Amino acid sequence: MEQWKRNLWILWIAEFFFMASMSMIIPFLPLYIQELGVDDPEAVTRWAGFIVGANFLSAFLFAPLWGALGDRYGRKLMLLRSGFGMALTISLMGFAATPLQLLILRFLNGVISGFIPAATSLMAVTTPKEKTGQALGILQSGNVAGTIMGPFLGGLLAEWIGFREIFHYTGMVIFFMTLLVWIGVKEQ
């Protein structure tokens, strides 16, 4: 198999599991905040908004930096940085004792995120020009499929193993997907 096709399928699998793992957390986040000791419904809503938004705010602020570093040092390095960093921060979210700790960890997770853009960039530069559109479309389908399946899987796992354990499970899945990328993806 040509290397760009191998990269595509490995990154598709990794993106599917990344997005499924990331999106499985969001639906039960208000319930987890209650488990952290917040009882007032308005406070739960406020904390949930801040905690979800913190990840996206910091990702927005740091994405240009990671893109520039990817251009300079390689996209695969940015994939590995993001994947291993997110595996750690998400696993730590399962140990949060207060909503503030969870907020800080979500903010930090956004700071080191960037797996999906780095994967897209890597595919764009390693795929033959005449196949780039097809490859990026296939890669995007892994992202969307994972996002669709995540809340469903998160609901099942919350019922079976509990909220805190989902964070540990998510970190473990992201860690193993990052190892798969490290071993299998090649960047010229």
Side-chain angles (χ1 to χ4, degrees), residues 32 36 90-98 101 105 164 167-168:
Y32 186 51
L36 294 176
I90 291 171
S91 294
L92 290 174
M93 289 177 201
F95 295 110
T98 67
Q101 290 174 354
L105 287 167
R164 287 185 182 276
F167 288 103
H168 305 306

Side-chain angles (χ1 to χ4, degrees), residues 25-187:
I25 294 168
I26 301 301
F28 69 79
L29 201 53
L31 299 172
Y32 186 51
I33 292 167
Q34 288 176 325
E35 194 175 281
L36 294 176
V38 180
D39 295 328
D40 177 36
E42 288 182 21
V44 169
T45 302
R46 196 170 29 257
W47 274 112
F50 290 145
I51 289 168
V52 170
N55 189 78
F56 295 111
L57 173 65
S58 58
F60 164 76
L61 294 173
F62 282 85
L65 170 67
W66 300 131
L69 290 174
D71 288 340
R72 180 177 243 182
Y73 298 108
R75 287 128 185 109
K76 184 175 176 181
L77 182 62
M78 292 300 105
L79 284 167
L80 300 177
R81 174 207 47 82
S82 174
F84 289 130
M86 289 172 61
L88 177 63
T89 58
I90 291 171
S91 294
L92 290 174
M93 289 177 201
F95 295 110
T98 67
L100 180 59
Q101 290 174 354
L102 185 59
L103 174 73
I104 292 167
L105 287 167
R106 289 280 297 174
F107 186 86
L108 181 59
N109 188 67
V111 168
I112 60 173
S113 68
F115 187 90
I116 302 302
T120 303
S121 178
L122 188 136
M123 279 310 307
V125 299
T126 60
T127 303
K129 284 201 182 297
E130 67 276 1
K131 298 290 185 179
T132 302
Q134 177 187 8
L136 293 177
I138 291 169
L139 186 63
Q140 180 65 18
S141 73
N143 184 328
V144 173
T147 303
I148 291 169
M149 290 301 296
F152 171 72
L153 295 172
L156 291 176
L157 286 173
E159 185 73 26
W160 294 338
I161 65 174
F163 302 135
R164 287 185 182 276
E165 288 75 17
I166 290 178
F167 288 103
H168 305 306
Y169 169 80
T170 298
M172 184 177 61
V173 168
I174 290 174
F175 178 80
F176 285 119
M177 288 300 104
T178 306
L179 281 179
L180 176 65
V181 167
W182 187 12
I183 293 166
V185 170
K186 303 288 185 255
E187 180 179 17

